[in-house]
């Protein structure tokens, strides 16, 4: 695991036979499942404490998963498990889809060199490990800060499974279901105890991340004059999502609010939270007297959803102007280090006229903006 970034790991997928336990489940003489290896259960729990999910991908009879349901103390550790005779690569694709994360955020632990090779060939972005590599995996997480959201991540994904099940049973439209969920988004200046979560979002989100600003750069800019860090919390009838969004706002030019980073958890994708967060920041900028609103965008293979959102919000690439380069975006004070990578672009729109509104099923409120009194 040397040189491996644990921020990229969102879920570890475990094989069963020969990995989670020693024996082969379908060959046991009774319906009793093999006893899991204590060190593997301890590893799963240690990962969960750091916000890393666990799932199952096993090439075995689907009835093994039914039998596993009779062992809730084991089954409850796993989300979106896949037990079938399909290829492991296909199982991993389904797990990623069910969890709403990129397949590259998965790590497979499997005792079979063949199964690891199959996944590496068909899903080259997925890291594969043998069971004896698990201690090194755990060591990669040592010393890293654990946020309250990280400790709650497994529970919140379980709540998400409940939401998904309720949505499948709901007889109305998708929008009617979202309205029934009583979704509430609260936006405000980041409290001190929310900053670690904002840094985590900058590091771990990819689908809904505008620029890929590093946590260190985000921390530096958030503490600098003329900048403010906003967060968004979300809740619904099923419970709290916690802090699901972060935005760094550069107000060094009062006439042109600039957002070097907009990042949201993939758990809220498709629910209007990203749009509502962005639109409320636009409205806040106009209320503060700004004429234009800018967002730094670094296009990647993963953030197409964010790019579509920015375009739907009326943001377009800024025209080249004297003294403005991809390294010195509008809103960046002359002589300061650039906030983003050289391949980033600045998208801009006027704040005059009608501004887009959040989805009607999402109730949006604002907390006190403490930074206004400090500006």
């Amino acid at each position: 695991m040397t040189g491996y970034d644990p921020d990229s790991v969102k879920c570890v997928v475990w094989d069963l036979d020969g990995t989670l336990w020693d024996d082969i489940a379908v060959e046991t003489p009774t319906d009793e499942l093999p006893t899991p290896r204590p060190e593997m259960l301890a590893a799963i729990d240690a990962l969960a404490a750091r916000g890393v999910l666990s799932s199952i991908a096993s090439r075995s009879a689907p009835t093994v998963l039914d039998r596993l349901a009779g062992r809730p103390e084991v089954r409850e550790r796993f989300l979106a498990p896949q037990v079938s005779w399909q290829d492991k690569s296909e199982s991993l694709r389904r797990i990623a889809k069910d969890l709403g994360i990129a397949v590259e955020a998965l790590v497979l632990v499997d005792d079979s060199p063949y199964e690891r090779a199959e996944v590496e060939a068909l899903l080259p972005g997925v890291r594969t490990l043998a069971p004896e590599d698990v201690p090194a995996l755990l060591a990669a997480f040592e010393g890293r800060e654990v946020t309250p959201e990280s400790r709650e991540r497994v529970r919140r994904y379980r709540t998400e499974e409940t939401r998904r099940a309720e949505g499948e049973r709901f007889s109305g439209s998708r929008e009617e279901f979202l309205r029934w969920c009583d979704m509430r988004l609260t936006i405000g200046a980041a409290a001190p105890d929310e900053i670690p979560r904002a840094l985590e979002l900058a590091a771990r989100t990819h689908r809904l991340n505008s620029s890929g600003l590093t946590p260190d750069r985000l921390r530096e800019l958030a503490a600098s004059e003329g900048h403010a860090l906003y967060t968004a919390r979300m809740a619904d009838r099923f419970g709290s999502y916690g802090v699901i969004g972060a935005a760094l706002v550069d107000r060094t030019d009062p006439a042109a609010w600039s957002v070097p980073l907009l990042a949201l958890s993939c758990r809220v994708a498709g629910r209007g939270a990203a749009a509502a967060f962005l639109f409320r920041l636009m409205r806040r900028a106009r209320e503060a007297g700004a004429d234009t609103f800018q967002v730094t965008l670094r296009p990647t293979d993963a953030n197409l959803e964010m790019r579509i959102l920015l375009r739907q919000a009326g943001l377009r690439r800024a025209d080249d102007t004297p003294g403005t380069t991809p390294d010195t975006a509008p809103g960046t004070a002359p002589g300061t280090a650039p906030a983003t990578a050289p391949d980033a672009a600045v998208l801009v729109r006027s704040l005059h006229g009608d501004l887009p509104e959040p989805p009607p099923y999402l109730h949006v409120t604002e907390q006190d903006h403490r930074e206004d009194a400090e500006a």
Side-chain angles (χ1 to χ4, degrees):
M1 299 297 294
T2 302
Y4 191 64
D5 181 10
D7 284 332
S8 66
V9 180
K10 295 186 177 180
C11 179
V12 176
V13 181
W14 304 82
D15 174 50
L16 293 180
D17 301 333
T19 300
L20 185 67
W21 47 57
D22 293 321
D23 299 322
I24 299 175
V26 295
E27 295 180 359
T28 56
T30 68
D31 284 341
E32 189 70 21
L33 289 174
T35 301
R37 295 170 174 168
E39 67 272 20
M40 292 305 182
L41 295 183
I44 292 166
D45 293 342
L47 290 167
R50 294 191 169 276
V52 179
L53 313 176
S54 283
S55 187
I56 291 171
S58 176
R59 279 169 53 85
S60 187
T63 55
V64 171
L65 186 57
D66 297 332
R67 291 159 62 188
L68 192 60
R71 297 279 301 278
E73 74 282 3
V74 178
R75 172 64 179 85
E76 67 184 9
R77 288 175 163 89
F78 301 104
L79 293 155
Q82 296 290 317
V83 180
S84 71
W85 296 114
Q86 67 187 353
D87 290 340
K88 287 286 178 73
S89 58
E90 182 59 29
S91 292
L92 266 60
R93 289 191 184 96
R94 292 190 179 187
I95 290 168
K97 181 179 179 181
D98 286 350
L99 295 178
I101 61 178
V103 72
E104 293 79 10
L106 303 177
V107 170
L108 173 68
V109 179
D110 198 307
D111 68 303
S112 168
Y114 169 83
E115 300 290 3
R116 298 198 302 269
E118 189 266 338
V119 168
E120 290 168 1
L122 295 181
L123 301 175
V126 174
R127 177 89 174 206
T128 68
L129 304 174
E132 55 267 28
D133 297 324
V134 169
L137 172 65
L138 297 178
F141 289 89
E142 290 181 1
R144 303 186 70 85
E145 185 173 16
V146 181
T147 67
E149 275 75 15
S150 293
R151 288 189 288 269
E152 288 288 300
R153 186 168 289 125
V154 174
R155 183 187 63 79
R156 286 178 172 149
Y157 268 88
R158 291 203 178 286
T159 303
E160 183 58 29
E161 286 186 331
T162 302
R163 287 188 186 96
R164 186 184 303 113
E166 289 292 337
E168 291 172 354
R169 286 192 290 266
F170 194 81
S171 59
S173 66
R174 170 69 173 170
E175 184 168 330
E176 288 171 337
F177 173 70
L178 293 174
R179 191 185 300 274
W180 175 80
C181 286
D182 188 24
M183 300 169 65
R184 305 176 297 281
L185 189 72
T186 304
I187 298 168
D193 62 353
E194 294 176 331
I195 293 176
R197 171 57 174 164
L199 301 176
E200 184 180 51
L201 285 167
R204 291 176 61 88
T205 61
H206 303 286
R207 288 173 60 188
L208 293 170
N209 189 315
S210 67
S211 67
L213 199 66
T214 67
D216 287 345
R217 187 66 174 131
L218 175 58
R219 188 192 299 272
E220 177 186 353
L221 287 170
S224 64
E225 184 177 357
H227 291 74
L229 184 62
Y230 286 78
T231 54
R233 287 182 170 272
M234 191 158 147
D236 63 14
R237 67 167 59 242
F238 299 99
S240 172
Y241 293 76
V243 175
I244 51 84
L248 177 67
V249 176
D250 177 354
R251 302 178 304 176
T252 53
D253 180 357
W257 274 32
S258 179
V259 179
L261 174 75
L262 177 66
L264 291 101
S265 168
C266 60
R267 289 187 292 119
V268 298
R271 292 168 207 190
F277 193 15
L278 175 63
F279 300 164
R280 186 54 62 103
L281 290 174
M282 287 181 181
R283 189 167 298 278
R284 190 70 183 174
R286 184 165 70 178
E287 291 169 354
D291 297 313
T292 61
F293 187 88
Q294 305 168 359
V295 176
T296 302
L297 173 67
R298 184 185 181 191
T300 68
D301 292 339
N303 70 358
L304 176 60
E305 195 169 347
M306 174 62 75
R307 285 182 274 157
I308 292 173
L309 168 62
L310 296 177
R311 185 167 186 83
Q312 290 175 338
L315 288 143
R316 299 292 184 269
R317 190 182 182 99
D319 293 331
D320 292 337
T321 56
T324 297
T325 70
D327 287 340
T328 307
T332 301
T336 61
T340 56
D343 56 347
V346 174
L347 308 184
V348 61
R349 66 155 289 160
S350 169
L351 293 174
H352 299 289
D354 294 336
L355 294 179
E357 294 290 341
Y361 53 78
L362 184 57
H363 181 60
V364 183
T365 58
E366 292 190 39
Q367 294 175 332
D368 292 337
H369 288 263
R370 296 180 293 275
E371 83 285 357
D372 288 347
E374 300 168 359

